[in-house]
Amino acid sequence: MKKQLLSGLIFTSALSTFNVFATNGYFTHGYGMTHKGMAGAGVALSEELMSGANNPATFSANGTQMSVGIELFAPERNYTAAKVDEYFTNALYLDATTKKSDNSLFAIPEFAIGHQLNERINIGLLVYGNGGMNTEYVAASAPQGTFYGGTTGVDLKRLFVSPTMSYQLNEQIRLGVSAIYVVQQFEAQGLANFAAFSQKPEALSNNGVDTSTGIGMQLGISHIINSSFSWGASYRSSVSLDEFDRYSGLCLQSKAGLIYQALFRSVPPGSFYHRTKWCLIGKK
């Protein structure tokens, strides 16, 4: 059977097809159900408690309020390996086939609680999922599977926890600040046959779920010009995350990581790679 030639770079290109899990790469297109329905618009609008995730200056509560939401996300993920006519020694080839990933439905939660301390100050807590990625191309065992290492795929989950405060400076201007605590988990399967490309082959694949945490902050301003026009701006710092030690063989200091860098420089702005400096996933 003819199979698809797979060099290291083509390998990472195949992985890149796994990475579209949220509307804007690794990031959700908006926070709050109202803002999701507006294609993510919300930096200058205070429509609900979750507006504070878009811009902490828009966070506002009437007395004490709470909101809970869940988004059901159903991405289609698959790959097609074409036939080739030329083969190379010591190269890895894929079966010429089309495979579809399992796990077709994902729940992305959100929760917010807010309290109005006085006429000027609102405080609260925002908890929300921030996109991620998941693929699972099922195989009974090695040497079956996409890369002949059994079930193949990756799983990335991220949760943001943001204590938030807004301050009404005057009738038109409101300021806001949020602390951001991030918890993320990552798992990779079926990549063991790429151990030769890594300086840490034992930390490359099938090591279970690894957890990483980090902190950052977000600042915002909202200005109401009149009843028909308002503007807002928000700045979110980069988040310095711990490394995924169980998958440190995927980091840029490894040979495989150099290939990842070559690939992920070409992904659209807003993807997770553009918010990390040295690793595919992990430390800034």
Side-chain angles (χ1 to χ4, degrees):
M1 179 184 296
K2 292 185 178 180
K3 300 177 181 180
Q4 170 71 33
L5 171 65
L6 190 73
S7 67
L9 184 57
I10 296 175
F11 154 59
T12 54
S13 296
L15 282 183
S16 74
T17 65
F18 300 171
N19 294 343
V20 183
F21 180 78
T23 303
N24 292 325
Y26 292 100
F27 294 88
T28 182
H29 66 287
Y31 305 105
M33 296 304 161
T34 303
H35 299 291
K36 289 178 185 292
M38 300 168 64
V43 175
L45 298 173
S46 179
E47 298 289 328
E48 55 172 292
L49 291 178
M50 281 302 301
S51 298
N54 299 294
N55 181 353
T58 63
F59 182 78
S60 180
N62 184 11
T64 299
Q65 293 181 285
M66 181 178 68
S67 69
V68 178
I70 188 167
E71 176 185 3
L72 298 179
F73 184 58
E76 293 186 5
R77 292 142 302 138
N78 58 73
Y79 72 85
T80 299
K83 295 180 180 180
V84 296
D85 297 320
E86 187 176 4
Y87 298 88
F88 296 87
T89 304
N90 297 324
L92 180 63
Y93 295 83
L94 295 186
D95 288 328
T97 186
T98 296
K99 294 198 69 173
K100 183 178 180 180
S101 175
D102 277 10
N103 305 323
S104 59
L105 188 64
F106 300 88
I108 303 178
E110 63 179 41
F111 167 81
I113 185 169
H115 178 68
Q116 184 179 20
L117 285 179
N118 52 50
E119 292 182 354
R120 292 185 179 271
I121 300 175
N122 288 268
I123 59 172
L125 179 69
L126 308 175
V127 181
Y128 51 95
N130 195 50
M133 64 178 176
N134 174 279
T135 53
E136 186 176 13
Y137 297 99
V138 177
S141 62
Q144 300 179 39
T146 300
F147 303 126
Y148 312 104
T151 295
T152 303
V154 291
D155 185 41
L156 172 66
K157 303 172 184 176
R158 287 203 308 271
L159 185 72
F160 279 35
V161 181
S162 298
T164 299
M165 182 182 73
S166 65
Y167 179 77
Q168 188 76 48
L169 187 63
N170 53 47
E171 291 185 2
Q172 287 79 37
I173 299 176
R174 182 183 290 272
L175 307 175
V177 60
S178 294
I180 300 175
Y181 178 70
V182 182
V183 181
Q184 64 176 5
Q185 294 183 325
F186 179 75
E187 182 179 13
Q189 303 179 78
L191 307 181
N193 284 325
F194 292 93
F197 292 98
S198 176
Q199 293 177 359
K200 294 184 178 180
E202 74 283 358
L204 183 67
S205 182
N206 295 81
N207 290 327
V209 176
D210 202 359
T211 300
S212 172
T213 60
I215 57 174
M217 67 177 299
Q218 186 172 1
L219 304 173
I221 182 172
S222 176
H223 185 192
I224 300 175
I225 305 298
N226 53 48
S227 59
S228 301
F229 182 78
S230 63
W231 68 273
S234 180
Y235 167 78
R236 179 180 291 185
S237 71
S238 60
V239 176
S240 181
L241 294 162
D242 300 328
E243 291 185 2
F244 285 129
D245 293 331
R246 296 185 185 182
Y247 295 96
S248 56
L250 287 174
C251 290
L252 194 58
Q253 62 265 25
S254 69
K255 295 178 182 178
L258 293 175
I259 297 171
Y260 278 115
Q261 182 189 38
L263 167 72
F264 283 92
R265 285 188 185 279
S266 66
V267 296
S271 71
F272 186 70
Y273 177 81
H274 283 265
R275 295 175 184 259
T276 62
K277 187 174 183 180
W278 294 114
C279 294
L280 170 64
I281 303 292
K283 190 174 181 181
K284 179 188 173 188

